[in-house]
Amino acid sequence: MRAMTEELANHVANYKNMTLTEDILQQVKRVLLDYFCCAITGSQTVVSKQVFQTLLELEGEGDYSVIGHKKKLSKTNAAFINGTSAHSLDLDDGHTKGSIHPGTVVLPPILAEAEKRKPNFDLLARAIVIGYDVCLRISSAIHPSSRKRGFHNTPVAGIFGAVAGLCVLNELKKEEVQNAFGIAASFAGGIFAFLGTGAEVKRIHPGQAARDAILAVELSVKGLTGPKSVLESENGLFQAFAGADISSERLLQDLGKTFEISNIYFKPYPCCRHIHSSVDAVYKLKEKNELRVEDIVSIRVGVNSIAYKHRHHECQSLLDAQMSLPYTVALALLYPTLEIRHFAPEHSTEQCRNLASKVEVYIDEYAETVYPNERAAKVEINFANGTNLMELVHNPLGEPSQPLDDAQLAEKFYRNCQAIIGEEKTEEMIANIFNIEKEIDFLYR
């Protein structure tokens, strides 16, 4: 068996040999902008405030910045709360082949460490690119096997990306990286038991992994050892989380030559990514036809077996609604675009709930066959007069094949953050991030 852990550790240790093209550097700016958008808006949620207050009461104030909160916390706690905030509204970036949200785990500990070390943009960019690359390769290797076993790839694989980025900032050697990976594997975890229950614990999964990544690297620096082949060994990560049903090709193909940060998506809608193709199909049907929702008799939505798990109709909380394919399809039929407020329990209407009850979700053969290379969805709407409309979407808006451009990401940031931090600060942050190579100190203020 290939020494996969060692190969990834060598990839991290050789970060200085990476060639960062202008496209890659621009993508780093884009992920930073989107991360701050998600963290600023998420910091206003009940969950973020609960977590912040808990950490403050347990350990007191510290020296590291917390997005959206006035008081600072320790490095580990700042990473925990910032990762939690960034994932609290399901606006964060992701990766289809790995079914993971990388930014919410990779960026909080890297930015906390950067606050201490104050690297230039070149080194920060290398840490981010490597961090994304490692976690996206691992998540792609274990998915969908890990998800079918009930695991949440964001914390399970995300911790390794966070560790990798921190190793770059700390300039660790290969063996130290392997030890950090070995330690991180014992921290890795996160399950999907929250789905359809209203439980908000999902929101803290990235924060937990971000915090534990810092501990893993700090312990490695202090000399604590971990298993050097922790990914591929007997009783290792691949065996434990995926039953050893993994793709070594997705893990190692073109390692060091291409970087997975180029293959992420950015979300236009604040809901589970498995639902976005169905939403896009509804919007395409609305563009082509005059739809009277009161005349709809039934709606059939064909998706892959992972998206099928999101078929619950009962929604008692914001998270339930964001994770519900029937409810979100109903919202798309009612509104020209989807906003956070549409998913809030107090915004729920009888018309929306009635439409959602008409949605039948099934496993479509084509969608199942092409996943995870495509996240296809087929939506069929049947009307009282006998009319039937159908739309197939292969991949949702925001994927590399149909990306959100810089202007659209800036608009997303402005739309979501202006009411929280003010118009002047919003415009200043957008400009600063897109010109970060000229002046980076704003990140540490």
Side-chain angles (χ1 to χ4, degrees):
M1 180 179 290
R2 293 181 68 173
M4 301 179 194
T5 311
E6 184 178 5
E7 290 190 49
L8 280 186
N10 191 56
H11 178 48
V12 175
N14 288 332
Y15 72 91
K16 290 181 181 178
N17 296 327
M18 292 165 46
T19 300
L20 297 183
T21 65
E22 286 301 317
D23 286 344
I24 292 291
L25 291 173
Q26 188 65 18
Q27 186 74 332
V28 170
K29 297 176 186 180
R30 287 157 56 81
V31 301
L32 283 168
L33 183 69
D34 200 64
Y35 164 74
F36 279 107
C37 173
C38 298
I40 290 168
T41 53
S43 71
Q44 306 302 297
T45 62
V46 171
V47 170
S48 178
K49 292 174 182 178
Q50 288 172 333
V51 172
F52 177 78
Q53 193 60 35
T54 301
L55 296 174
L56 186 63
E57 291 175 4
L58 283 173
E59 299 185 28
E61 294 184 46
D63 300 320
Y64 291 82
S65 300
V66 177
I67 297 169
H69 298 275
K70 292 181 180 179
K71 294 181 178 179
K72 294 184 176 183
L73 297 175
S74 68
K75 181 162 62 171
T76 51
N77 285 345
F80 194 135
I81 181 60
N82 287 335
T84 296
S85 294
H87 195 55
S88 285
L89 289 173
D90 271 277
L91 277 168
D92 39 325
D93 65 13
H95 186 260
T96 292
K97 288 184 179 180
S99 191
I100 183 177
H101 299 283
T104 54
V105 186
V106 172
L107 293 176
I110 285 179
L111 292 175
E113 188 70 20
E115 192 169 353
K116 172 186 175 183
R117 296 186 175 277
K118 295 181 172 51
N120 59 26
F121 178 58
D122 179 75
L123 181 57
L124 180 68
R126 289 173 187 276
I128 292 172
V129 171
I130 285 288
Y132 268 68
D133 208 48
V134 167
C135 77
L136 297 180
R137 287 175 178 276
I138 291 175
S139 62
S140 296
I142 64 176
H143 188 70
S145 303
S146 54
R147 176 62 187 90
K148 290 178 179 178
R149 293 161 70 90
F151 293 114
H152 189 192
N153 288 346
T154 295
V156 169
I159 188 172
F160 293 94
V163 162
L166 290 169
C167 287
V168 169
L169 290 182
N170 283 277
E171 301 185 274
L172 298 194
K173 295 179 171 58
K174 183 184 74 171
E175 185 173 350
E176 295 173 301
V177 179
Q178 285 179 273
N179 280 328
F181 282 164
I183 298 166
S186 286
F187 290 149
I191 58 175
F192 260 92
F194 62 82
L195 195 61
T197 69
E200 294 279 13
V201 67
K202 172 185 186 284
R203 312 297 195 187
I204 74 168
H205 284 181
Q208 157 247 312
R211 175 203 62 195
D212 291 349
I214 293 174
L215 289 172
V217 173
E218 294 284 355
L219 290 169
S220 176
V221 170
K222 292 295 189 294
L224 185 69
T225 58
K228 300 294 193 298
S229 302
V230 76
L231 296 179
E232 70 273 17
S233 65
E234 183 180 3
N235 302 316
L237 187 95
F238 293 157
Q239 177 63 49
F241 289 94
D245 182 15
I246 64 109
S247 170
S248 58
E249 181 181 7
R250 288 203 295 268
L251 182 75
L252 299 172
Q253 187 175 34
D254 295 325
L255 185 65
K257 298 177 182 177
T258 63
F259 301 103
E260 287 299 310
I261 196 170
S262 299
N263 296 322
I264 63 169
Y265 64 74
F266 295 99
K267 281 187 174 183
Y269 320 122
C271 59
C272 177
R273 188 58 170 176
H274 285 295
I275 300 171
H276 282 219
S277 293
S278 301
V279 171
D280 286 344
V282 169
Y283 283 140
K284 285 180 180 293
L285 286 172
K286 289 172 71 173
E287 286 176 10
K288 298 175 184 177
N289 306 275
E290 289 287 337
L291 303 186
R292 286 172 50 89
V293 294
E294 57 268 30
D295 294 335
I296 293 175
V297 174
S298 64
I299 305 163
R300 299 189 75 238
V301 182
V303 292
N304 63 66
S305 58
I306 302 296
Y308 179 71
K309 296 177 185 290
H310 294 262
R311 65 189 181 278
H312 59 277
H313 288 81
E314 290 297 319
C315 298
Q316 305 300 321
S317 68
L318 173 69
L319 180 61
D320 277 352
Q322 291 174 303
M323 296 288 119
S324 169
L325 201 158
Y327 193 83
T328 306
V329 164
L331 288 174
L333 284 164
L334 293 173
Y335 300 104
T337 188
L338 297 183
E339 302 173 15
I340 287 292
R341 62 188 178 90
H342 295 143
F343 294 88
E346 62 269 22
H347 197 86
S348 179
T349 64
E350 184 177 349
Q351 184 184 33
C352 184
R353 292 191 296 271
N354 182 52
L355 269 176
S357 70
K358 297 178 180 180
V359 177
E360 174 199 353
V361 183
Y362 67 96
I363 299 176
D364 179 77
E365 183 178 354
Y366 174 78
E368 180 71 359
T369 301
V370 298
Y371 185 76
N373 293 316
E374 290 183 14
R375 207 188 291 254
K378 182 188 295 181
V379 174
E380 304 169 64
I381 304 179
N382 304 305
F383 295 85
N385 65 2
T387 301
N388 300 305
L389 300 175
M390 191 276 286
E391 187 72 36
L392 171 66
V393 168
H394 293 275
N395 273 310
L397 181 64
E399 293 288 333
S401 59
Q402 43 180 343
L404 298 182
D405 60 25
D406 291 354
Q408 288 171 304
L409 283 175
E411 173 59 27
K412 175 182 173 180
F413 187 97
Y414 188 90
R415 188 174 65 248
N416 285 285
C417 299
Q418 185 268 338
I420 300 171
I421 62 176
E423 184 174 351
E424 182 178 350
K425 182 66 173 177
T426 301
E427 292 178 350
E428 180 182 312
M429 282 202 70
I430 293 170
N432 282 343
I433 290 173
F434 278 133
N435 292 282
I436 192 173
E437 72 277 14
K438 298 177 182 177
E439 201 277 307
I440 195 173
D441 286 350
F442 73 93
L443 281 180
Y444 316 130
R445 292 198 293 265

